[in-house]
Amino acid sequence: MSGRTLRPRVLVVGGGPGGYVAAIRAGQLGLETVLVEAGRPGGTCLTRGCIPSKAIIHAADLFAETSRAAAQGGHLGIRLAAPPTLDLAATMRWKDGIVDRLSNGVTALLRRAQVTVLKGWASFADAKSCTVETAEGPVKIEPEHVILATGSLPVELPSLPFGGDVLSSTEALALTELPRTLAVVGAGYIGLELGIAFAKLGVRVALVEAAERILPLYDELLTRPVLDWLHAHDVELHLQARAGGRSARGLDIETPLGDRFAIPAEKILVTVGRKPNTQGWGLETMAIEMDGRFIKVDERCATSSRNVWAIGDVTGEPMLAHRASAQGEMVAEIIAGKRRRFDPVAIPAICFTEPEIVTVGVERADENHVVGQFPFMANGRALSMEAGDSGGFVRTVAEKGSGRIVGLQAVGRHVSELASGFVALIEMGATLEDVAGMIHAHPTLGEAVHESALKALGHAIHV
Amino acid sequence: MGRYLFRLPDIGEGVTEAEIVAWHVQPGARIREDDNLADVMTDKATVEMTSPVDGTVTAVHGEVGAMLAVGAVLVELEVEGEGNAPAQAEPGASVEPPAPPSAATGESRVEAAPAVAPERTSPAQAAPRTAPPPEKSRAVAGRVDIPIGPRQVFAAPATRRRAYELGIPLQFVPGTGPGGRILPSDLDDFIASGGMARAPGGLAPRTGGEDVKIVGLRRRIAERMQEAKRRIPHIAYVEEVDVTQIEALRAEMNARPDEGQPKLTLLPFLIRALVRALPDFPQVNARFDDDEGVLHVSAGVHVGIATQTPGGLMVPVLRHAEALTLAEIAREIARLSAAAREGTAKREELSGSTITITSLGPLGGIATTPVINHPEVAIIGPNRIVEKPVVQGQFVSVRKVMNISSSFDHRIVDGYDAASFIQALKRLIEHPALIFMGDGA
Ligand SMILES: Cc1cc2nc3c(=O)[nH]c(=O)nc-3n(C[C@H](O)[C@H](O)[C@H](O)COP(=O)(O)OP(=O)(O)OC[C@H]3O[C@@H](n4cnc5c(N)ncnc54)[C@H](O)[C@@H]3O)c2cc1C
């Protein structure tokens, strides 16, 4: 392969959910496409993000449930003779098996779409000259179009550089032995998801957050059930606190009152944010305008450089896999000559915490809105699967007058699966009356969506 | 130091948006109160936007030509004292303790998203693009709030996508669905009515009406037509031609097509006749730059093909018609008009014609007075073909006849030359063999 120069229609750099979707769609549309990925197809999302974290969260749930069944008196009448034991290495192997399956699946899809996949690091000499260092030597690529999908990387704290006992989410998702104590710096969604999972696995977890509350970008009401869970499960929480460096006893922190002390931490997980991956591959040679640290794109994901496109985390918030994929699919279609733009009404976001939080669209209602909120406590399905007492609810926000639904949120166990329904209602322009007129299956959590709409209309039945 | 957001003020009765026509400042500029920041144009007037404060410009929003909604942020300033917006922290502040993110950073996203979404910007874009850097650098799951404004469109994704493909701004399409939702059928109606809202049918009296803003392609068409009629003194000429022979030839060719020959309409024949006639009338195949006083006479024949599209009239260009065979012309016309209709025609395919043909096909009527495609100097409009009794010598026979309407720029083409040119065309069409003599068509 070395010494060759490829001149495809499309070069996609990065095989995450942005890049691989762009490549598959481009291939489907008959565009000759090359995808370059230094790691495994699937990117952050598949190999060290969404999927592995959700797998570990599931295992942690099961472990916590079985532990409860083994505890004195059992749980729901279920008793285990002996407490479960955890072989974290085996859990990780199971998780890796899922990642393997998905990554191989992506590889197969790329092949079916006739995309040429190069494993190696891409770097640019200018916007249209790319060299990929592959195991077989360098390959030159001079494409007509470039799609940049290089994703994002964890942010490091100067006082806590990654390495040794200081972990990023990547290492945390690859641990093969449980620490007894874990300090998590940053209580955003990644820190909380992983912190809660480790707490369920029996680790003593302490969360350190500089803001006044956990998940500071979410509406406080939505985060309260999560806060309650943390309290009920003895997860230490230090809000408005600054993380200092590593000390012999654990992690140094400073409280808002100026107290300094160390919290015990065999390992420290730093999840203070992710930054766009813009360095080390020649972005600076491509004459591309930036928007802060992100690559600046317009509503078609076009950069300031002709026929250079950028999608996914490298282009800004929200840094979520589904946004990256939607942009990838769109750009491929634009290159194939279709007229497209990125114009979702809302992008859903989910925290796989305990309980889970889903939010789509307007969260903070004002005088132009009507709001209906319905508690899971009054939902049969929720009670029948122990999802009723977590303080969870569904909330519908609609425009006054038109009744058009502009926001839907839920917090509660298993609510992540409500997300697609939420998005559908908002994107299709449903009104409260529309939802009122739909028959929801009984018994399901979805009935709470119906009731919250009825509530906004002023006539909920079950509350 | 504070942050001040200068929003597009209410600049007059009923004005909901304005076009940015000039910028007088750029980021980094230090300005004093009353300095002119930008000029914006409404449909009534151009207005200077002067600064209410002293300060330094940190960001400007919108390029020249962009439409901005009243209430949207035009300029961001750094000012002494408080400002009117939450402070914008240094990039990266929130990810680098010891500085904890202030509560204000959480709010600044809300502030930065304009209350009224500028129409060009989709909400999902508006939030990430205007969110201040520290916000972005936190990998907390993002959400995109919907800016609630009176002109927010309310339609399902497939409807929005189709409208965008057709270049129709949905905010001008009246929605008949619940809560004013724009249904697929509303879009169909809007298109069918040529971009005008259709009044309800039935025998009831129709009351009310709708003020439909002329924007996008329709606005461009309006401007171009006005420009052409204002600048060019048109002279119109209509002649009847006998197309019996050429129609017979066409029928024969379509009945027994050559390998790969597409179905031929009259248009490719007309274009070949044009190509044949034009060398004797070079001033007709030209573009007139009246500012410079120069007539650019073209050797190549680039024929504009006026095409009806869902959005309105477009004129894709058949390049170098003189170098194409009948079949090639037919294929190229089919390709160009499909591209125009689907909105995929490229800029190059929509400009550079040297003469235009406009035909209403079977709708064509007896005569039309076509408007010249500025800056060309001639336009040819074949009308409908009809069978008519024609006196030939002592006999009356039924012939297929068609009127050709034409307009010329009278500054360049005299009436005599215009008539001679159309007569030459008539001769070629009536004796089609002449069209093909001596060339490989
Ligand atoms: C722990 C964790 C949990 C998450 N959970 C969720 C979740 O539940 N839901 C959700 O929506 N999102 C989640 N995310 C975020 C999600 O993973 C990202 O938004 C998504 O992966 C972004 O996709 P992308 O295609 O932009 O980039 P990435 O997935 O980051 O992929 C970029 C790829 O490009 C490759 N690359 C970069 N530069 C080069 C180069 N020069 N040459 C070759 N290859 C290169 C990298 O190796 C990488 O594989 C999570 C992230 C983390 C870290």
Side-chain angles (χ1 to χ4, degrees), chain B residues 44-94:
Chain B
K44 301 192 176 80
T46 298
V47 189
E48 288 186 358
M49 292 291 117
T50 55
S51 175
V53 293
D54 292 351
T56 305
V57 175
T58 53
V60 300
H61 295 285
E63 281 148 24
V64 168
M67 301 300 285
L68 206 66
V70 167
V73 176
L74 187 65
V75 178
E76 292 180 33
L77 299 156
E78 193 176 78
V79 295
E80 292 291 335
E82 280 249 306
N84 65 352
Q88 193 162 13
E90 288 307 308
S94 70

